[in-house]
Amino acid sequence: GGWWQSDFGGGGPLEYGDSGANIYNAHGSPSDFGFGAVRGPQRIDAAGTYTVVTVAPRTEDRPVDLKPYITDKTFSPATQARCYGAARVAPPLRNSAGAIWHEDRQVVNAANENASGWSTSFKFVLREPSERCKTVNTVSRSFGSEIRTLLHGQCEVTGGDGFAFVVWDAGAEEEAALSQSGVNASTGNNPGVGASGPGLGYSGLTNSLAVEFDLWHNPLNEEPYDPHIAIHTDGAFPNSAHHGARLAATTEIPTIADGETHAVRVTFLPDVGWAKVAHAIESGECKGTTARLGRFTGTNPGLLRVYVDDMDVPLLSTPLTMATFLRENSTDARVGFTASTGESWVTVDIVQWNFSSYA
C-alpha cells in the first residue's frame, strides 16, 4: 500500500551541492563513475532514517572544474605544484590496479653451491587519499514534500588499498605478453597485473612473493583492522592478498599514507643457518607467522628482512628458501611493484629504486 515513486540514483554535485568534486555514493560503480544507477521505487508517504556514504577527494585535492571522472589533469594548481619525478603505480581512481616491472629479469636464487642473495632499496610517497563521509538523517515524507534532519555526520581520510614489492617468476607466455604490452601496465588483460581492490595488484600472480603495504581493512580477507606490512606467497599457485596466505605480518609500522617520503630496504640472505633463524625469531622480528611457513623454509633457509625508515633494525623478517616459490631450476625473476585501489584510493609513487644481486 501507500504511494511510491522511482529513485533514479543520483550522487555527484547535483545531489550533494558540490560543484568542485566528483562525489561517489554507496550505490556507485566503475561503469557509472560512482554516481549510482536506478535504485528502484521508494515510498513517498513514510518516515524513518537513511544513511548516505560518499567517497570523494579531500578538499585540497579536488578539481577546480567539474569533470565526469577524475584524472591527474583535473586536480587543483596546489596539487599540480607538488612536482617530482616518480613512477606512479596507482592513480587517484576507484577500482584500478597497476604494475611496474624491471625491464630485465634479476638473479634471485643460486644456480650452484655459491648461494646468491639480493637487496632492494626504494623510496615511495603516498598522496591524495580519498575522504569517506557518512551522514545519518531522519526523514518525514508526505507526497510532494519532506523534512530531513541531520542526526550524525563524520568524515575520515581513508586511502586504499595499498601496494607491494613483488618477485615474480613469470613464465614464457607471460614474458612474451609483457614484451608486447610493456613493463608498465594497468588494469586489463595484462599478465603482469593482478586483482584490483583488496588484491593489491599481485593477487593471481603464480610463482610470486610479495611484500605488501596494506592500508585498507578488508574483512573478507581476514586482515588486521590497522594498516600492516606482510609477506605473502603461495608457491607455484596464484598468490593471494588474503591474510591467510601470509608468511609473516606486523601492524607495528609507521604512518606511511601521510604524503611524506618513506624509505624501504628488503634483503634476502641465503643459507643463514638455523642459529640465525632462531635468533631472528627470539628477537621478535619474525612476527605474525603461521604454520604454513613450514612449506617455504626448506632445509637450509635464508632470511628475508624488511626495513622501513630505520635501516638498522628490521621491521619484519621471515625464514625462506627462494626455490619454494620459483619455477623448477629457476635462478632469476621479474622484480617490481604492484598497487591497487578499490572503493577508496591513494596515489602510489615510487621516487627511487635500486635492486642488486650478489653471490
Side-chain angles (χ1 to χ4, degrees):
W3 295 83
W4 297 76
Q5 69 178 8
S6 185
D7 179 355
F8 291 99
L14 296 180
E15 180 170 335
Y16 301 112
D18 189 334
S19 62
N22 181 16
I23 300 179
Y24 302 121
N25 62 36
H27 303 275
S29 67
S31 62
D32 54 35
F33 304 110
F35 289 128
V38 175
R39 296 195 290 268
Q42 62 180 1
R43 185 166 175 169
I44 62 175
D45 58 334
T49 62
Y50 70 94
T51 301
V52 175
V53 178
T54 63
V55 181
R58 299 176 303 171
T59 301
E60 59 267 37
D61 296 330
R62 293 182 179 182
V64 295
D65 57 346
L66 181 62
K67 300 289 183 181
Y69 52 86
I70 297 174
T71 70
D72 289 345
K73 294 181 180 179
T74 66
F75 284 100
S76 64
T79 300
Q80 293 177 346
R82 297 198 294 261
C83 295
Y84 50 91
R88 175 155 289 185
V89 194
L93 296 173
R94 286 175 28 145
N95 301 310
S96 67
I100 296 174
W101 300 104
H102 197 293
E103 60 183 355
D104 298 315
R105 292 174 66 96
Q106 300 295 306
V107 176
V108 294
N109 193 34
N112 47 45
E113 295 181 355
N114 296 320
S116 177
W118 53 265
S119 174
T120 187
S121 301
F122 59 91
K123 294 182 179 180
F124 69 89
V125 180
L126 305 181
R127 292 190 187 273
E128 302 168 25
S130 57
E131 185 177 60
R132 187 175 189 269
C133 297
K134 179 178 182 180
T135 58
V136 180
N137 297 264
T138 61
V139 59
S140 178
R141 182 182 297 118
S142 177
F143 299 97
S145 63
E146 67 180 28
I147 299 175
R148 300 185 183 189
T149 304
L150 176 64
L151 293 181
H152 172 71
Q154 182 179 4
C155 293
E156 59 179 345
V157 176
T158 54
D161 271 67
F163 74 102
F165 169 76
V166 183
V167 179
W168 174 41
D169 190 2
E173 293 184 0
E174 295 163 330
E175 285 288 350
L178 277 180
S179 64
Q180 293 178 359
S181 60
V183 293
N184 300 338
S186 58
T187 306
N189 295 322
N190 195 300
V193 183
S196 62
L200 297 181
Y202 73 81
S203 287
L205 298 182
T206 59
N207 301 98
S208 67
L209 173 82
V211 179
E212 67 167 35
F213 298 76
D214 198 329
L215 306 173
W216 187 265
H217 172 59
N218 290 287
L220 294 180
N221 277 5
E222 300 181 357
E223 298 174 341
Y225 184 79
D226 296 320
H228 59 279
I229 295 175
I231 302 168
H232 284 234
T233 186
D234 202 14
F237 299 100
N239 208 342
S240 171
H242 190 285
H243 203 56
R246 74 190 186 278
L247 302 186
T250 180
T251 58
E252 300 172 9
I253 66 174
T255 300
I256 57 176
D258 54 2
E260 302 296 328
T261 301
H262 295 274
V264 176
R265 182 161 60 99
V266 181
T267 65
F268 176 73
L269 296 175
D271 299 341
V272 296
W274 286 104
K276 289 188 177 181
V277 170
H279 180 267
I281 295 173
E282 293 169 358
S283 69
E285 65 184 70
C286 293
K287 306 181 184 77
T289 58
T290 64
R292 70 188 302 274
L293 179 61
R295 290 173 49 197
F296 305 99
T297 54
T299 56
N300 297 298
L303 269 179
L304 183 77
R305 286 189 165 109
V306 182
Y307 303 77
V308 180
D309 291 337
D310 184 351
M311 298 298 113
D312 295 323
V313 180
L315 195 66
L316 184 66
S317 72
T318 183
L320 176 69
T321 296
M322 297 293 291
T324 57
F325 72 88
L326 297 175
R327 298 177 187 276
E328 186 175 2
N329 299 322
S330 182
T331 60
D332 55 15
R334 289 280 182 176
V335 294
F337 301 91
T338 66
S340 70
T341 64
E343 174 186 321
S344 295
W345 61 85
V346 67
T347 60
V348 178
D349 294 333
I350 307 299
V351 297
Q352 190 179 85
W353 181 30
N354 175 71
F355 185 93
S356 300
S357 301
Y358 51 87

